mmCIF file of all heavy atoms in Angstrom:
data_model
loop_
_atom_site.group_PDB
_atom_site.id
_atom_site.type_symbol
_atom_site.label_atom_id
_atom_site.label_comp_id
_atom_site.label_asym_id
_atom_site.label_seq_id
_atom_site.Cartn_x
_atom_site.Cartn_y
_atom_site.Cartn_z
ATOM 1 N N PRO A 23 4.773 26.340 -27.995
ATOM 2 C CA PRO A 23 5.656 27.450 -28.228
ATOM 3 C C PRO A 23 7.118 27.093 -28.440
ATOM 4 O O PRO A 23 7.572 26.071 -27.927
ATOM 5 C CB PRO A 23 5.515 28.326 -26.966
ATOM 6 C CG PRO A 23 5.127 27.380 -25.909
ATOM 7 C CD PRO A 23 4.278 26.299 -26.712
ATOM 8 N N HIS A 24 7.777 27.781 -29.293
ATOM 9 C CA HIS A 24 9.223 27.535 -29.625
ATOM 10 C C HIS A 24 9.976 27.843 -28.273
ATOM 11 O O HIS A 24 9.733 28.795 -27.601
ATOM 12 C CB HIS A 24 9.711 28.360 -30.757
ATOM 13 C CG HIS A 24 9.011 28.006 -32.082
ATOM 14 N ND1 HIS A 24 9.280 26.772 -32.640
ATOM 15 C CD2 HIS A 24 8.098 28.578 -32.780
ATOM 16 C CE1 HIS A 24 8.580 26.692 -33.789
ATOM 17 N NE2 HIS A 24 7.873 27.804 -33.874
ATOM 18 N N SER A 25 10.993 27.047 -28.026
ATOM 19 C CA SER A 25 11.829 27.306 -26.924
ATOM 20 C C SER A 25 12.806 28.403 -27.151
ATOM 21 O O SER A 25 13.496 28.506 -28.159
ATOM 22 C CB SER A 25 12.674 26.037 -26.536
ATOM 23 O OG SER A 25 11.880 24.992 -26.151
ATOM 24 N N THR A 26 12.840 29.341 -26.136
ATOM 25 C CA THR A 26 13.712 30.422 -26.151
ATOM 26 C C THR A 26 14.407 30.355 -24.752
ATOM 27 O O THR A 26 14.138 29.507 -23.972
ATOM 28 C CB THR A 26 13.042 31.719 -26.312
ATOM 29 O OG1 THR A 26 12.170 31.964 -25.195
ATOM 30 C CG2 THR A 26 12.184 31.832 -27.578
ATOM 31 N N ALA A 27 15.344 31.250 -24.594
ATOM 32 C CA ALA A 27 16.056 31.315 -23.313
ATOM 33 C C ALA A 27 15.069 31.713 -22.165
ATOM 34 O O ALA A 27 15.319 31.279 -21.039
ATOM 35 C CB ALA A 27 17.184 32.337 -23.381
ATOM 36 N N HIS A 28 13.958 32.294 -22.418
ATOM 37 C CA HIS A 28 12.985 32.712 -21.410
ATOM 38 C C HIS A 28 12.023 31.648 -21.038
ATOM 39 O O HIS A 28 11.522 31.630 -19.937
ATOM 40 C CB HIS A 28 12.267 33.955 -21.843
ATOM 41 C CG HIS A 28 13.194 35.133 -22.088
ATOM 42 N ND1 HIS A 28 13.801 35.737 -21.043
ATOM 43 C CD2 HIS A 28 13.558 35.734 -23.238
ATOM 44 C CE1 HIS A 28 14.551 36.720 -21.573
ATOM 45 N NE2 HIS A 28 14.406 36.761 -22.891
ATOM 46 N N ASN A 29 11.707 30.692 -21.961
ATOM 47 C CA ASN A 29 10.711 29.677 -21.596
ATOM 48 C C ASN A 29 11.324 28.258 -21.745
ATOM 49 O O ASN A 29 10.497 27.303 -21.692
ATOM 50 C CB ASN A 29 9.433 29.817 -22.466
ATOM 51 C CG ASN A 29 9.749 29.522 -23.954
ATOM 52 O OD1 ASN A 29 10.854 29.281 -24.348
ATOM 53 N ND2 ASN A 29 8.665 29.534 -24.767
ATOM 54 N N ALA A 30 12.614 28.126 -21.823
ATOM 55 C CA ALA A 30 13.230 26.771 -21.888
ATOM 56 C C ALA A 30 12.995 26.069 -20.531
ATOM 57 O O ALA A 30 13.096 26.827 -19.475
ATOM 58 C CB ALA A 30 14.670 26.847 -22.278
ATOM 59 N N PRO A 31 12.844 24.821 -20.461
ATOM 60 C CA PRO A 31 12.667 24.114 -19.228
ATOM 61 C C PRO A 31 13.970 24.076 -18.396
ATOM 62 O O PRO A 31 15.032 24.110 -18.996
ATOM 63 C CB PRO A 31 12.190 22.713 -19.566
ATOM 64 C CG PRO A 31 12.590 22.516 -21.012
ATOM 65 C CD PRO A 31 12.615 23.884 -21.603
ATOM 66 N N PHE A 32 13.874 24.065 -17.124
ATOM 67 C CA PHE A 32 15.029 24.009 -16.231
ATOM 68 C C PHE A 32 14.679 23.114 -15.006
ATOM 69 O O PHE A 32 13.572 22.798 -14.790
ATOM 70 C CB PHE A 32 15.565 25.368 -15.839
ATOM 71 C CG PHE A 32 14.530 26.141 -15.067
ATOM 72 C CD1 PHE A 32 14.426 26.117 -13.650
ATOM 73 C CD2 PHE A 32 13.645 26.978 -15.686
ATOM 74 C CE1 PHE A 32 13.589 26.865 -12.929
ATOM 75 C CE2 PHE A 32 12.753 27.760 -15.057
ATOM 76 C CZ PHE A 32 12.627 27.649 -13.624
ATOM 77 N N VAL A 33 15.681 22.708 -14.255
ATOM 78 C CA VAL A 33 15.473 21.836 -13.123
ATOM 79 C C VAL A 33 15.147 22.825 -11.948
ATOM 80 O O VAL A 33 15.857 23.699 -11.583
ATOM 81 C CB VAL A 33 16.761 21.042 -12.764
ATOM 82 C CG1 VAL A 33 16.601 20.197 -11.568
ATOM 83 C CG2 VAL A 33 17.150 20.240 -13.979
ATOM 84 N N LYS A 34 13.944 22.524 -11.311
ATOM 85 C CA LYS A 34 13.522 23.341 -10.118
ATOM 86 C C LYS A 34 14.175 22.913 -8.860
ATOM 87 O O LYS A 34 14.650 23.700 -8.202
ATOM 88 C CB LYS A 34 11.955 23.235 -10.030
ATOM 89 C CG LYS A 34 11.149 24.064 -10.997
ATOM 90 C CD LYS A 34 9.702 24.114 -10.578
ATOM 91 C CE LYS A 34 9.116 22.752 -10.559
ATOM 92 N NZ LYS A 34 7.674 22.747 -10.383
ATOM 93 N N LYS A 35 13.989 21.608 -8.568
ATOM 94 C CA LYS A 35 14.589 21.139 -7.331
ATOM 95 C C LYS A 35 14.868 19.575 -7.520
ATOM 96 O O LYS A 35 14.286 18.910 -8.380
ATOM 97 C CB LYS A 35 13.694 21.290 -6.162
ATOM 98 C CG LYS A 35 12.386 20.605 -6.252
ATOM 99 C CD LYS A 35 11.555 20.797 -4.957
ATOM 100 C CE LYS A 35 10.280 19.960 -5.049
ATOM 101 N NZ LYS A 35 9.491 20.128 -3.792
ATOM 102 N N VAL A 36 15.681 19.083 -6.601
ATOM 103 C CA VAL A 36 16.011 17.669 -6.512
ATOM 104 C C VAL A 36 15.786 17.273 -5.085
ATOM 105 O O VAL A 36 16.214 17.886 -4.218
ATOM 106 C CB VAL A 36 17.518 17.484 -6.989
ATOM 107 C CG1 VAL A 36 17.866 16.020 -6.628
ATOM 108 C CG2 VAL A 36 17.686 17.730 -8.419
ATOM 109 N N THR A 37 15.021 16.172 -4.939
ATOM 110 C CA THR A 37 14.717 15.615 -3.625
ATOM 111 C C THR A 37 15.410 14.266 -3.492
ATOM 112 O O THR A 37 15.146 13.397 -4.326
ATOM 113 C CB THR A 37 13.232 15.509 -3.350
ATOM 114 O OG1 THR A 37 12.648 16.775 -3.598
ATOM 115 C CG2 THR A 37 12.920 15.064 -1.959
ATOM 116 N N VAL A 38 16.248 14.084 -2.501
ATOM 117 C CA VAL A 38 16.913 12.849 -2.213
ATOM 118 C C VAL A 38 16.197 12.221 -0.953
ATOM 119 O O VAL A 38 16.110 12.942 0.021
ATOM 120 C CB VAL A 38 18.424 13.011 -2.021
ATOM 121 C CG1 VAL A 38 19.087 11.681 -1.865
ATOM 122 C CG2 VAL A 38 19.048 13.860 -3.094
ATOM 123 N N HIS A 39 15.670 11.025 -1.065
ATOM 124 C CA HIS A 39 14.837 10.456 -0.095
ATOM 125 C C HIS A 39 15.284 9.043 0.321
ATOM 126 O O HIS A 39 15.659 8.261 -0.579
ATOM 127 C CB HIS A 39 13.433 10.385 -0.673
ATOM 128 C CG HIS A 39 12.396 9.826 0.262
ATOM 129 N ND1 HIS A 39 12.105 8.534 0.280
ATOM 130 C CD2 HIS A 39 11.615 10.414 1.202
ATOM 131 C CE1 HIS A 39 11.171 8.322 1.202
ATOM 132 N NE2 HIS A 39 10.905 9.413 1.755
ATOM 133 N N ILE A 40 15.361 8.769 1.626
ATOM 134 C CA ILE A 40 15.689 7.431 2.106
ATOM 135 C C ILE A 40 14.574 7.015 3.042
ATOM 136 O O ILE A 40 14.304 7.706 3.997
ATOM 137 C CB ILE A 40 17.060 7.422 2.812
ATOM 138 C CG1 ILE A 40 18.215 7.636 1.893
ATOM 139 C CG2 ILE A 40 17.225 6.041 3.537
ATOM 140 C CD1 ILE A 40 19.538 7.588 2.533
ATOM 141 N N ARG A 41 13.976 5.879 2.754
ATOM 142 C CA ARG A 41 12.970 5.286 3.672
ATOM 143 C C ARG A 41 13.650 4.115 4.424
ATOM 144 O O ARG A 41 14.196 3.184 3.774
ATOM 145 C CB ARG A 41 11.768 4.762 2.872
ATOM 146 C CG ARG A 41 10.609 4.448 3.833
ATOM 147 C CD ARG A 41 9.383 4.048 3.062
ATOM 148 N NE ARG A 41 9.038 2.726 3.592
ATOM 149 C CZ ARG A 41 9.307 1.586 3.080
ATOM 150 N NH1 ARG A 41 9.958 1.531 1.941
ATOM 151 N NH2 ARG A 41 8.914 0.487 3.619
ATOM 152 N N CYS A 42 13.609 4.223 5.664
ATOM 153 C CA CYS A 42 14.420 3.238 6.528
ATOM 154 C C CYS A 42 13.401 2.393 7.266
ATOM 155 O O CYS A 42 12.781 2.795 8.260
ATOM 156 C CB CYS A 42 15.252 3.920 7.499
ATOM 157 S SG CYS A 42 16.382 2.879 8.411
ATOM 158 N N ARG A 43 13.203 1.131 6.773
ATOM 159 C CA ARG A 43 12.200 0.193 7.321
ATOM 160 C C ARG A 43 12.685 -0.237 8.683
ATOM 161 O O ARG A 43 11.911 -0.588 9.549
ATOM 162 C CB ARG A 43 12.058 -0.975 6.443
ATOM 163 C CG ARG A 43 11.033 -1.962 6.891
ATOM 164 C CD ARG A 43 10.895 -3.147 5.939
ATOM 165 N NE ARG A 43 10.366 -2.598 4.640
ATOM 166 C CZ ARG A 43 10.235 -3.321 3.568
ATOM 167 N NH1 ARG A 43 10.597 -4.553 3.549
ATOM 168 N NH2 ARG A 43 9.754 -2.712 2.447
ATOM 169 N N GLU A 44 14.001 -0.340 8.877
ATOM 170 C CA GLU A 44 14.541 -0.758 10.207
ATOM 171 C C GLU A 44 14.289 0.249 11.289
ATOM 172 O O GLU A 44 14.461 -0.028 12.443
ATOM 173 C CB GLU A 44 16.072 -1.028 10.038
ATOM 174 C CG GLU A 44 16.447 -2.208 9.229
ATOM 175 C CD GLU A 44 16.348 -1.871 7.711
ATOM 176 O OE1 GLU A 44 16.185 -0.706 7.336
ATOM 177 O OE2 GLU A 44 16.442 -2.879 6.915
ATOM 178 N N ALA A 45 13.844 1.529 10.986
ATOM 179 C CA ALA A 45 13.575 2.438 12.034
ATOM 180 C C ALA A 45 12.276 2.130 12.763
ATOM 181 O O ALA A 45 12.050 2.636 13.889
ATOM 182 C CB ALA A 45 13.402 3.862 11.359
ATOM 183 N N LEU A 46 11.495 1.168 12.263
ATOM 184 C CA LEU A 46 10.298 0.723 13.014
ATOM 185 C C LEU A 46 10.709 -0.020 14.313
ATOM 186 O O LEU A 46 9.976 0.092 15.311
ATOM 187 C CB LEU A 46 9.443 -0.236 12.153
ATOM 188 C CG LEU A 46 8.786 0.476 10.907
ATOM 189 C CD1 LEU A 46 8.123 -0.576 10.064
ATOM 190 C CD2 LEU A 46 7.883 1.598 11.366
ATOM 191 N N GLN A 47 11.727 -0.771 14.219
ATOM 192 C CA GLN A 47 12.208 -1.547 15.498
ATOM 193 C C GLN A 47 12.974 -0.622 16.429
ATOM 194 O O GLN A 47 12.810 -0.693 17.585
ATOM 195 C CB GLN A 47 13.116 -2.728 15.082
ATOM 196 C CG GLN A 47 12.337 -3.882 14.505
ATOM 197 C CD GLN A 47 12.043 -3.725 13.010
ATOM 198 O OE1 GLN A 47 12.733 -3.021 12.302
ATOM 199 N NE2 GLN A 47 10.877 -4.276 12.544
ATOM 200 N N ASN A 48 13.778 0.235 15.862
ATOM 201 C CA ASN A 48 14.665 1.101 16.668
ATOM 202 C C ASN A 48 14.867 2.359 15.962
ATOM 203 O O ASN A 48 15.404 2.417 14.877
ATOM 204 C CB ASN A 48 15.990 0.422 16.949
ATOM 205 C CG ASN A 48 16.851 1.209 18.003
ATOM 206 O OD1 ASN A 48 16.387 2.301 18.337
ATOM 207 N ND2 ASN A 48 17.970 0.692 18.298
#
Side-chain angles (χ1 to χ4, degrees):
H24 295 288
S25 288
T26 65
H28 298 290
N29 67 355
F32 60 91
V33 181
K34 283 192 298 190
K35 69 177 179 176
V36 172
T37 304
V38 186
H39 179 269
I40 293 180
R41 193 178 124 260
C42 187
R43 183 178 297 173
E44 290 80 10
L46 293 175
Q47 284 81 29
N48 187 357

